[in-house]
Amino acid sequence: MLVYFPSLYPDELLYSWFSRYHEHSRNTSPKQTMKELFDSASVVAVVDLPTNLSVFHKNINQFNPPNLKELIDYHTLYKYYTFFQSNEVQQKATDYMKYGDNPGTIHLFLGIVASTIKDWQYIRFCPSCVKQDRANYGEAYWHVSHQLPKVHYCYIHQEPLQDSTIELRNPHKHEFISAEKAELDIPFLTSLFSQKTEQYLRALSGESLKLIVDNQPFDFQNIQPIYKYLMQLNGYSNHLGKVHQQYFTKQFKQYYGEEFLSLVNCDFDEQSDTSWLRSIVRKHRKAFHPVQHLLLLNFLGTSVKELSNLKEKTYQPFGETPYYCLNPAADHYKEQVVTELRVTTCTTTRKPVGTFTCSCGFVYSRRGPDVKEEDVFKMGRIKAFGDVWMAKLQGLLSKGLSYYAIAQILECDYTTVKKYANRQHSNKKTDDDPVQRLKVIKGLEWTNLLKEHPNLTVTQLRKLAPALYAWHYRNNRQWLNDNSPKTHSHLNNRIDWQKRDLELLAKVKQAIRDLYAIEKPVYVNKSRVGKTMNRLSLLEKLLDKLPRTKAYLEVHIETREQYQMRRIKWACKIIYENNDEHVMEWKVRRLAGLKKELSTSLEHALQQEIRKYQQGGARFEVKTMDI
């Protein structure tokens, strides 16, 4: 039982706390300290993510230490490495730090080992903090905030951090070395960076610290919607969420510069489709280092502290409802009364087009997104003026105002006023109108032609009366379409469907054999068979006239679940034949392209197939369907 244990200092690493105990207790052997703290001499001294902490906490319980969760959250790098991880991974990491005994495991499943962003080689310190700690506490200690990856500046003194002589991954893995035992009076070194790089390094230092001091909970599941919203807001993806990758990566590299990106191990090839930057704004299929998340958030103009406020945000290219009515004839002109908005995509620019419909009948559209405040009063096109506008126009006309005066009042073009002022006359045309009379005459000629030749098609009628057809096509096209014979496809009754059924059946059998014979399984369904034979339309539309072919297909094509079972068998075989003695579930799932959640029968088949190979996989083969 321990009779003494030192007090824990602010921002102190647990590693530093253990080191000071080792020094104060004057233990001659590091393993003796390990035995006293962890009840085991084989525990590894880890700086960032120590393990077996539940035993340690129990051994110092008589000294009323902070609870174990507080020790893990604020005196290790746990919160830094798990901030952008799922709740499941966070809980797994917590449990492992409490009860685990192999520190390499936690570094592995958190993605630290595989990351291109490397840890510091040595434990780091701030010279001013060393002086301040000695003045306040009588000794220096290792700070959590000084060990964060790619953090170059002390957040208190804004001075460059220095490397000590103690390696972060100490080759003497059972040894705790305190700050006072290290050489901290080494010459002060400064790194010469450009002003731009230094600015970003300081910003990264501040944002990194927020990951371990911020108490606001953040659900990692919200990160993708947040990135989508921020990318749209900054113009790097369209309103549908499609990222302009070339423009985005080019702007990102220009913003930070190659010096800074290389310094923090985040440089990338702009042309590569698999770079970390392009991957992080897609659906996350792997873990990304906190530094990469922080650089992206800073580039998109936000901070870690803002994430919780962004989780409910959705991109609205024209702002939030209600919108302004731009009908000069309405009493609510330029008031926010429009609640109906339909967003479509411009076929030329692929930008969003908003169509605003007001209750007064006025409908207008404009191309977005809105960038400036005054954009909300812009109109690209008026699609409908509505009854209120038309009534206002008629009232102004009845007062005898000129078209120019009315155009100024209604804030439109002179020709628009003239067009709608004359519309009432065009709607009241009588038989005395020569144009209308001509339409009637031409219409009678066409209907008489239809009566004389009831069985002819439009093309045949056109050849009989080309001039008449041309006149209607140019001047009365909709009427022509409504008063023309409809095209009907007639089935050729002379086809010998029985013979065709037998011929097609032979081709279907061969196609199915070929598809099942492909080494990497493909989904053998009616569509795939039809495409293979170049007879897809026949199988989709006329299969009822081919009874033998239809019956054979129903028996020999496969369901989606049967296809997935074949993929499982194939994946197990491939993994086994590649001299991998461990046919592991995650490898099979990835190679077979399986979803996270499977049906009960498919899950059972997966486990059974893996079990076969674990019990002697060489005896099992992937069987194709017998034809």
Side-chain angles (χ1 to χ4, degrees):
M1 180 177 177
L2 297 178
V3 295
Y4 162 79
F5 205 78
S7 299
L8 183 63
Y9 297 140
D11 191 39
E12 183 176 17
L13 278 170
L14 291 187
Y15 174 92
S16 175
W17 201 20
F18 305 153
S19 302
R20 290 193 297 110
Y21 168 75
H22 175 70
E23 184 178 342
H24 294 179
S25 64
R26 300 186 180 277
N27 287 335
T28 56
S29 169
K31 291 195 174 184
Q32 182 181 351
T33 298
M34 290 291 185
K35 185 72 174 175
E36 292 172 356
L37 297 182
F38 302 101
D39 295 343
S40 172
S42 61
V43 175
V44 178
V46 180
V47 174
D48 51 1
L49 300 168
T51 56
N52 207 25
L53 294 179
S54 63
V55 175
F56 158 73
H57 194 262
K58 182 184 69 174
N59 289 341
I60 65 166
N61 194 49
Q62 65 270 27
F63 302 108
N64 295 321
N67 62 62
L68 189 51
K69 184 180 185 312
E70 184 178 341
L71 293 180
I72 292 175
D73 285 351
Y74 301 108
H75 297 278
T76 74
L77 269 61
Y78 164 81
K79 288 189 70 175
Y80 176 85
Y81 279 118
T82 61
F83 188 91
F84 295 102
Q85 299 280 6
S86 65
N87 293 336
E88 293 80 4
V89 173
Q90 290 179 5
Q91 187 60 51
K92 184 178 178 181
T94 300
D95 292 343
Y96 206 86
M97 292 181 73
K98 288 180 179 179
Y99 311 111
D101 56 2
N102 184 359
T105 302
I106 190 171
H107 291 84
L108 192 63
F109 70 71
L110 287 179
I112 300 172
V113 175
S115 178
T116 57
I117 300 176
K118 302 306 178 184
D119 295 328
W120 298 112
Q121 185 177 356
Y122 300 96
I123 300 179
R124 293 165 67 77
F125 68 96
C126 165
S128 294
C129 282
V130 170
K131 295 178 182 177
Q132 184 173 306
D133 294 341
R134 285 171 175 167
N136 293 338
Y137 308 109
E139 59 183 337
Y141 61 91
W142 301 123
H143 287 247
V144 176
S145 57
H146 296 166
Q147 317 312 321
L148 300 180
K150 307 309 170 188
V151 168
H152 284 71
Y153 293 91
C154 171
Y155 79 99
I156 297 177
H157 301 99
Q158 291 300 307
E159 295 177 2
L161 296 174
Q162 305 293 312
D163 285 339
S164 70
T165 56
I166 310 303
E167 293 188 47
L168 192 75
R169 309 292 179 208
N170 195 338
H172 305 291
K173 60 182 183 178
H174 303 295
E175 183 179 5
F176 291 114
I177 304 175
S178 69
E180 289 296 340
K181 286 292 184 181
E183 241 183 86
L184 301 185
D185 297 325
I186 58 178
F188 186 80
L189 301 176
T190 57
S191 298
L192 298 178
F193 306 122
S194 66
Q195 184 177 358
K196 175 181 176 181
T197 298
E198 182 178 346
Q199 172 190 344
Y200 290 137
L201 287 174
R202 291 184 183 277
L204 178 60
S205 299
E207 288 298 299
S208 298
L209 183 67
K210 292 175 185 177
L211 298 183
I212 59 175
V213 300
D214 191 2
N215 291 317
Q216 292 184 350
F218 174 70
D219 187 354
F220 173 74
Q221 302 301 325
N222 295 317
I223 195 66
Q224 283 304 109
I226 289 174
Y227 282 161
K228 178 181 177 181
Y229 169 72
L230 291 174
M231 291 287 286
Q232 291 172 320
L233 197 64
N234 286 273
Y236 297 115
S237 62
N238 64 15
H239 64 289
L240 301 176
K242 183 179 180 181
V243 179
H244 312 307
Q245 288 286 12
Q246 289 187 344
Y247 175 67
F248 167 57
T249 51
K250 182 178 180 181
Q251 292 298 310
F252 188 91
K253 181 160 282 192
Q254 287 182 352
Y255 178 81
Y256 283 115
E258 291 191 3
E259 179 188 27
F260 172 78
L261 292 175
S262 298
L263 198 61
V264 295
N265 301 143
C266 287
D267 202 4
F268 59 91
D269 181 3
E270 288 183 46
Q271 306 304 319
S272 173
D273 191 53
T274 57
S275 67
W276 73 264
L277 184 61
R278 294 196 181 196
S279 300
I280 200 172
V281 294
R282 295 174 177 147
K283 182 178 179 180
H284 285 191
R285 292 178 174 86
K286 61 180 181 179
F288 294 91
H289 197 280
V291 169
Q292 295 170 332
H293 285 285
L294 295 177
L295 294 192
L296 178 60
L297 289 171
N298 180 67
F299 175 70
L300 296 177
T302 192
S303 170
V304 172
K305 284 193 173 182
E306 298 297 322
L307 288 178
S308 298
N309 300 328
L310 295 173
K311 63 182 180 181
E312 302 295 336
K313 295 285 187 178
T314 55
Y315 178 63
Q316 299 182 18
F318 301 97
E320 297 183 355
T321 186
Y323 308 99
Y324 289 92
C325 176
L326 302 183
N327 181 4
D331 295 336
H332 51 253
Y333 178 48
K334 288 191 176 181
E335 293 182 10
Q336 290 178 288
V337 296
V338 178
T339 57
E340 184 178 341
L341 167 65
R342 185 169 66 93
V343 179
T344 55
T345 304
C346 176
T347 55
T348 305
T349 64
R350 307 307 298 170
K351 291 185 176 181
V353 176
T355 300
F356 304 82
T357 303
C358 185
S359 57
C360 67
F362 193 78
V363 182
Y364 68 94
S365 67
R366 69 168 173 271
R367 186 185 299 166
D370 290 348
V371 179
K372 303 175 183 177
E373 291 185 7
E374 55 268 26
D375 288 348
V376 296
F377 297 110
K378 289 184 179 179
M379 281 192 299
R381 177 186 170 196
I382 298 175
K383 293 188 173 183
F385 286 95
D387 295 338
V388 173
W389 192 91
M390 295 301 294
K392 182 76 171 180
L393 172 64
Q394 295 304 321
L396 295 173
L397 287 171
S398 64
K399 292 180 181 179
L401 296 178
S402 67
Y403 290 166
Y404 288 103
I406 295 174
Q408 289 181 338
I409 295 173
L410 296 180
E411 297 183 14
C412 63
D413 192 74
Y414 161 83
T415 56
T416 301
V417 175
K418 184 177 180 180
K419 171 185 174 183
Y420 286 95
N422 293 332
R423 174 167 287 188
Q424 58 180 329
H425 303 295
S426 63
N427 291 335
K428 296 179 181 178
K429 289 183 178 178
T430 64
D431 292 340
D432 295 333
D433 189 338
V435 175
Q436 189 66 24
R437 285 203 310 272
L438 183 59
K439 282 187 176 181
V440 172
I441 293 171
K442 294 290 185 182
L444 287 173
E445 290 179 13
W446 182 257
T447 53
N448 289 334
L449 188 65
L450 290 174
K451 291 177 182 178
E452 293 173 7
H453 308 281
N455 296 324
L456 296 186
T457 64
V458 176
T459 304
Q460 292 169 331
L461 291 172
R462 179 180 178 182
K463 291 180 179 178
L464 285 178
L468 179 62
Y469 178 88
W471 189 92
H472 278 292
Y473 186 83
R474 295 191 186 100
N475 303 286
N476 208 12
R477 187 179 303 180
Q478 187 59 49
W479 184 91
L480 177 65
N481 292 335
D482 295 339
N483 293 272
S484 295
K486 305 302 178 184
T487 302
H488 298 285
S489 58
H490 298 283
L491 208 59
N492 188 349
N493 294 325
R494 293 175 295 176
I495 296 176
D496 187 345
W497 288 103
Q498 185 176 2
K499 180 181 177 181
R500 174 167 289 192
D501 190 11
L502 292 173
E503 292 173 349
L504 193 64
L505 178 59
K507 294 180 179 179
V508 165
K509 288 182 177 180
Q510 186 60 48
I512 291 179
R513 287 193 195 95
D514 293 343
L515 289 172
Y516 278 119
I518 297 174
E519 181 180 359
K520 183 178 181 180
V522 296
Y523 186 22
V524 183
N525 58 359
K526 185 172 69 175
S527 176
R528 173 79 69 167
V529 174
K531 289 178 181 178
T532 302
M533 299 162 42
N534 198 22
R535 292 289 188 274
L536 179 59
S537 179
L538 191 61
L539 293 184
E540 287 183 341
K541 298 178 181 178
L542 300 172
L543 192 58
D544 288 336
K545 291 188 170 291
L546 306 164
R548 294 188 180 185
T549 303
K550 181 179 180 181
Y552 189 86
L553 281 171
E554 289 175 349
V555 173
H556 291 92
I557 60 176
E558 60 185 347
T559 64
R560 177 66 68 175
E561 189 170 89
Q562 289 172 332
Y563 165 60
Q564 289 175 324
M565 286 184 179
R566 287 202 303 125
R567 295 275 299 186
I568 290 171
K569 291 176 179 289
W570 167 79
C572 289
K573 179 184 176 184
I574 292 298
I575 294 170
Y576 186 84
E577 289 180 348
N578 286 339
N579 297 323
D580 190 341
E581 66 278 6
H582 301 295
V583 179
M584 301 176 68
E585 181 180 339
W586 69 268
K587 293 182 180 180
V588 177
R589 284 180 177 272
R590 185 175 64 180
L591 187 58
L594 300 178
K595 294 181 180 178
K596 188 175 182 179
E597 294 183 0
L598 303 176
S599 65
T600 304
S601 59
L602 203 58
E603 188 70 43
H604 176 72
L606 172 63
Q607 300 302 331
Q608 189 176 24
E609 192 67 20
I610 293 173
R611 198 176 300 115
K612 287 180 182 179
Y613 278 87
Q614 291 174 346
Q615 295 171 355
R619 300 194 303 272
F620 301 98
E621 296 180 356
V622 178
K623 300 288 187 182
T624 57
M625 185 172 290
D626 295 330
I627 306 298

